[in-house]
Amino acid sequence: MEQPITQVQKKTVLSGIQPTSRLTLGNYLGALKNFVAMQEDYDSYYMVADMHAITVRQNASELRKRSIEILALYMACGLDPEKSTLFIQSHVPEHAMLNWLMCCNTYMGELSRMTQFKDKSAKHADNINAGLFTYPVLMACDILLYQANYIPVGADQKQHVELTRDIAERFNKAYGDTFTIPEPFIPKVGARIMSLQDPTSKMSKSDPNPNGYISMLDEPEVIVKKLKRAVTDSEGEITPNPERAGVYNLLSIYSACLGKTIEETAAEFAGENYGTLKTRTADAVVSMLEPIQAEYKRLLSEKDYLGEVIRNGADKARARAVKTVRKAYHKVGFDSYKL
Ligand code: TRP
């Protein structure tokens, strides 16, 4: 039977976020907001990367709870389970099944060049496990299982998407065409929100100083307080100059909340003081996050509905993933009739 043309032509997008802690304003403006925009035009897969999370020791019940919470937050931001496939990675066993094949097609040398591995092993010197080392292979499987074309990620993940391309090309060359070669998709606007306390480093959920980041679930008063304390400089003038990292970061946040460019919004603040910039930025953040927070609370109270969305998402994801695993298993010489 012929499918409608739009269905056939839609490109596939996949991305994921680790459920390691609460998501920040940086995750929203840099990633989630784009996920929502992209679901209209692409066949979209958005997953909660719980298998990636255990490269660092996690509390089991917290991990389970947080994975569900992140999925609810995806929905609260506007990801619609009718339009996108929303799922939790560990619910789709094909990720682990493809992983072994891809480990056997990845070189130790490639993995030891990954900057995230170097950073994380320095940070967790007491638990440099093999999973931490092979983590980019699992990420490659996440992408290749769904034959994804575009991967919306932050700049820090670009190296992993490039490795995914190398692994996929190598496999295709050795065994014949099996995987789509993906491309990183790095959004131009609002992609990099920096720490409020150290505006030269990225806003991070693992920042030990909570004043450095705004959590997506922070109460309005907390948001106001954190922005009031944000580091600026002593120049006193509001201009869009990236060298003046603190002021530039506040302008970036304000602009991204309104969906405008920094140049457009900077003019609004000509002659104003930093206090005004901070208050108006806080207003913009609060009015953007408040409806998301309300919807998030509502979804978490609807346990049955959420459970159904999660099960359906896993089924939908598996239906696609199993096709790829069958193909790849057959290519390497495994019998795949059982799958
Ligand atoms: N590694 C990503 C991160 O730490 C999360 C992730 C896991 C991911 N699998 C993915 C992102 C697949 C894009 C595609 O941020």
Side-chain angles (χ1 to χ4, degrees):
M1 257 224 303
E2 267 188 45
Q3 290 194 336
I5 287 183
T6 48
Q7 289 274 313
V8 178
Q9 287 180 337
K10 267 191 182 175
K11 299 264 190 198
T12 301
V13 158
L14 176 135
S15 196
I17 296 181
Q18 291 195 42
T20 38
S21 60
R22 290 272 150 87
L23 298 188
T24 67
L25 181 67
N27 293 115
Y28 180 67
L29 293 173
L32 279 161
K33 210 171 162 211
N34 280 301
F35 293 181
V36 177
M38 290 180 92
Q39 76 177 341
E40 304 297 333
D41 301 322
Y42 297 92
D43 185 14
S44 318
Y45 291 81
Y46 296 118
M47 62 169 210
V48 178
D50 61 342
M51 292 170 75
H52 285 264
I54 63 162
T55 51
V56 174
R57 192 83 64 212
Q58 303 289 334
N59 173 295
S61 56
E62 260 175 44
L63 177 63
R64 203 174 349 259
K65 188 164 156 264
R66 240 191 259 124
S67 298
I68 297 170
E69 287 173 354
I70 301 274
L71 199 125
L73 201 51
Y74 278 0
M75 290 166 69
C77 291
L79 287 178
D80 177 350
E82 301 291 325
K83 292 183 185 161
S84 299
T85 303
L86 309 179
F87 66 102
I88 296 176
Q89 186 185 23
S90 66
H91 296 185
V92 181
E94 283 73 16
H95 290 254
M97 292 170 71
L98 188 62
N99 189 41
W100 177 244
L101 257 58
M102 301 327 252
C103 272
C104 296
N105 282 282
T106 307
Y107 299 120
M108 301 281 284
E110 287 175 312
L111 293 175
S112 38
R113 283 194 292 274
M114 295 294 117
T115 40
Q116 199 172 47
F117 170 70
K118 292 187 215 164
D119 291 350
K120 282 209 176 177
S121 50
K123 224 162 142 190
H124 303 277
D126 56 336
N127 183 16
I128 306 179
N129 60 73
L132 197 60
F133 188 65
T134 60
Y135 154 115
V137 183
L138 184 60
M139 178 161 158
C141 295
D142 302 338
I143 295 169
L144 301 175
L145 271 176
Y146 303 93
Q147 308 285 354
N149 302 95
Y150 301 116
I151 315 300
V153 283
D156 61 323
Q157 295 296 317
K158 198 168 163 227
Q159 198 184 26
H160 293 157
V161 180
E162 269 148 19
L163 176 71
T164 303
R165 290 168 62 90
D166 292 343
I167 302 174
E169 274 163 8
R170 181 174 308 137
F171 191 101
N172 285 351
K173 208 160 157 218
Y175 297 102
D177 230 10
T178 311
F179 299 112
T180 302
I181 310 299
E183 282 173 39
F185 183 97
I186 295 168
K188 286 179 208 79
V189 188
R192 260 177 98 67
I193 302 298
M194 313 304 275
S195 159
L196 300 177
Q197 290 299 314
D198 172 13
T200 56
S201 67
K202 193 174 143 182
M203 181 179 282
S204 163
K205 50 195 171 183
S206 47
D207 190 335
N209 179 357
N211 286 323
Y213 62 87
I214 291 172
S215 158
M216 285 188 68
L217 300 172
D218 274 346
E219 302 278 339
E221 310 81 73
V222 177
I223 296 174
V224 171
K225 208 165 70 193
K226 286 181 177 175
L227 281 165
K228 257 193 195 140
R229 289 187 187 156
V231 168
T232 48
D233 54 37
S234 55
E235 290 198 24
E237 224 188 307
I238 302 170
T239 53
N241 176 1
E243 307 263 293
R244 294 174 51 209
V247 172
Y248 192 78
N249 191 36
L250 291 172
L251 280 172
S252 303
I253 295 173
Y254 179 78
S255 316
C257 288
L258 299 180
K260 294 185 177 171
T261 66
I262 296 190
E263 288 67 27
E264 279 171 330
T265 54
E268 287 178 34
F269 292 102
E272 300 285 358
N273 60 24
Y274 291 165
T276 309
L277 174 63
K278 288 177 172 181
T279 321
R280 296 207 14 217
T281 303
D283 286 347
V285 173
V286 169
S287 43
M288 180 181 71
L289 291 183
E290 256 180 345
I292 296 176
Q293 294 179 350
E295 177 63 0
Y296 171 74
K297 279 197 197 110
R298 191 189 71 78
L299 284 165
L300 281 188
S301 70
E302 298 211 7
K303 291 259 176 304
D304 291 349
Y305 171 65
L306 201 53
E308 195 187 303
V309 167
I310 290 173
R311 279 191 302 278
N312 287 343
D315 287 347
K316 245 163 90 185
R318 281 199 83 176
R320 176 86 178 248
V322 77
K323 285 191 192 153
T324 305
V325 171
R326 257 190 219 128
K327 199 162 146 189
Y329 268 38
H330 184 76
K331 293 258 164 98
V332 301
F334 297 164
D335 266 329
S336 50
Y337 67 93
K338 285 251 186 227
L339 300 175

